[in-house]
C-alpha cells in the first residue's frame, strides 16, 4: 500500500475511534411503544324503566314492579351475570309557564310525577346476549350497551403489553447504538419509566351516564333478538428508558 493510502486508512481508523469514544458516557432517552389486541369478551348494559302519573305513588309502584320483573328475567336468562340497580329518580312534571294578564309569572304546581330506575348488567356470556336482551326488553328499555374486556383478560393482556413494549425498547436501543457506531452491549439501561408518557392506562370503553329522559318500557308479547358485533379492544403502552453508553 502506498504511503498516501496508508495515511488515509490510518486517519479513517483514528477518526472512527474518536467518533466512538465521543459517545462514551452519553445518556440517551429512548421512548418505546407497544400494543396488543384482543376480541372483546364482556358486555356492559344499562336497562331502565320510566313511568309518569299524576299520583307519585302510582308511578313509583309501576316502576318498582317492572324493575322487579326485569331483574327476575335477566337473572333467569343469564345467572352468571353481575346485576345491580342504580339511578332511582323522582321528578315533578310542571305545566307550561305563561305570564298572567298583569304580566306576572304564576307559581306553578306539579301536574304529575316522573319516576324511573336503571339496572346495570355485566356479562361475559356474549353468545346468549341477544336472547337475554330481547327477554329483558319485554319489560325494560335498553338504554346503553358497550363491549370491552373482562378483568381476567385485561390482566392477561397487560403482561403481554409490557413484554411487547419492553421488546420495542430493546429494538430501539440496538438501532440507536448502531447509528452511533456502538455495539448494543455497550448500552447500559439506567432507568425504565412506565409512566413517562402519561398514556399507560387502558382506554377501554366506559358506559356513559344514562339519559334523563327515556321511553316508557311496556310489556311486550315478543321482542325480536337484536344483533351485536362485539369487536375488539386495543391496549397500548408507552415507556421511556434512559440508556448510558460505556
Amino acid at each position: 500500500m502506498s504511503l498516501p493510502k496508508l495515511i488515509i486508512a490510518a486517519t479513517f481508523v483514528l477518526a472512527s475511534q474518536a467518533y466512538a469514544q465521543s459517545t462514551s458516557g452519553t445518556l440517551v432517552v429512548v421512548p418505546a411503544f407497544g400494543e396488543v389486541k384482543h376480541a372483546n369478551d364482556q358486555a356492559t348494559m344499562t336497562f331502565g324503566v320510566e313511568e309518569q302519573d299524576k299520583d307519585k305513588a302510582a308511578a313509583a309502584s309501576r316502576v318498582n314492579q317492572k324493575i322487579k320483573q326485569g331483574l327476575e328475567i335477566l337473572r333467569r336468562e343469564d345467572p352468571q351475570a353481575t346485576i345491580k340497580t342504580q339511578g332511582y329518580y323522582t321528578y315533578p312534571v310542571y305545566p307550561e309557564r305563561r305570564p298572567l294578564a298583569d304580566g306576572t309569572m304564576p307559581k306553578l304546581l306539579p301536574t304529575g310525577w316522573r319516576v324511573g330506575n336503571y339496572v346495570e348488567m355485566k356479562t361475559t356470556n356474549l353468545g346468549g346476549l341477544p336472547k337475554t336482551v330481547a327477554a329483558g326488553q319485554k319489560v325494560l328499555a335498553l338504554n346503553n350497551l358497550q363491549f370491552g374486556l373482562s378483568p381476567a383478560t385485561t390482566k392477561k393482556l397487560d403482561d403481554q403489553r409490557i413484554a411487547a413494549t419492553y421488546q420495542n425498547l430493546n429494538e430501539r436501543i440496538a438501532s440507536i447504538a448502531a447509528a452511533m457506531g456502538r455495539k448494543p452491549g455497550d448500552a447500559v439501561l439506567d432507568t425504565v419509566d412506565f409512566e413517562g408518557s402519561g398514556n399507560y392506562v387502558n382506554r377501554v370503553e366506559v358506559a356513559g351516564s344514562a339519559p334523563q329522559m327515556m321511553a316508557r318500557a311496556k310489556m311486550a308479547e315478543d321482542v325480536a333478538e337484536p344483533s351485536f358485533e362485539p369487536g375488539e379492544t386495543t391496549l397500548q403502552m408507552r415507556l421511556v428508558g434512559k440508556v448510558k453508553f460505556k
Side-chain angles (χ1 to χ4, degrees):
M1 179 181 295
S2 63
L3 182 59
K5 291 183 178 181
L6 182 61
I7 293 175
I8 293 174
T11 302
F12 178 78
V13 172
L14 291 174
S16 298
Q17 291 176 348
Y19 176 77
Q21 291 172 357
S22 68
T23 62
S24 179
T26 300
L27 182 65
V28 181
V29 178
V30 185
F33 172 82
E35 70 175 28
V36 292
K37 295 182 179 181
H38 194 280
N40 291 324
D41 62 348
Q42 178 176 277
T44 300
M45 293 154 285
T46 301
F47 292 92
V49 62
E50 181 179 283
E51 289 290 334
Q52 185 170 320
D53 199 287
K54 293 182 179 180
D55 185 347
K56 181 169 60 174
S61 179
R62 292 199 299 272
V63 167
N64 297 344
Q65 290 176 357
K66 290 184 177 181
I67 285 293
K68 181 179 179 181
Q69 293 173 350
L71 290 174
E72 293 174 350
I73 292 173
L74 295 178
R75 291 194 183 103
R76 182 176 65 248
E77 295 294 331
D78 193 345
Q80 303 302 318
T82 300
I83 302 174
K84 68 176 182 180
T85 56
Q86 59 186 14
Y88 200 109
Y89 62 87
T90 303
Y91 296 126
V93 178
Y94 293 96
E96 183 180 355
R97 194 177 189 187
R98 295 179 179 178
L100 300 176
D102 59 2
T104 61
M105 299 301 293
K107 182 179 179 180
L108 297 181
L109 297 176
T111 57
W113 295 88
R114 192 171 73 247
V115 182
N117 197 191
Y118 301 107
V119 176
E120 181 187 84
M121 179 178 183
K122 292 184 178 181
T123 180
T124 56
N125 181 18
L126 301 189
L129 187 62
K131 183 173 181 293
T132 299
V133 171
Q137 286 179 310
K138 294 180 180 181
V139 180
L140 307 174
L142 178 64
N143 283 20
N144 192 13
L145 185 149
Q146 293 189 353
F147 295 98
L149 301 176
S150 65
T153 300
T154 301
K155 175 60 176 66
K156 181 180 66 175
L157 292 179
D158 196 47
D159 296 338
Q160 299 177 16
R161 179 173 49 169
I162 292 175
T165 308
Y166 195 78
Q167 179 181 348
N168 182 251
L169 175 64
N170 288 329
E171 293 171 350
R172 289 193 167 203
I173 291 174
S175 298
I176 291 172
M180 296 174 64
R182 304 296 299 273
K183 297 179 180 179
D186 293 337
V188 178
L189 190 58
D190 180 78
T191 304
V192 177
D193 181 6
F194 281 91
E195 301 184 7
S197 66
N199 187 29
Y200 52 91
V201 294
N202 173 23
R203 306 299 183 184
V204 295
E205 295 79 3
V206 179
S209 59
Q212 293 184 356
M213 296 294 294
M214 102 175 69
R216 293 185 183 183
K218 298 182 179 181
M219 290 294 290
E221 294 298 328
D222 190 20
V223 177
E225 293 185 6
S227 299
F228 299 120
E229 179 55 54
E232 65 179 15
T233 292
T234 299
L235 301 182
Q236 299 179 337
M237 174 175 284
R238 296 181 186 275
L239 66 80
V240 175
K242 293 183 179 180
V243 180
K244 182 174 290 187
F245 283 89
K246 300 177 182 179

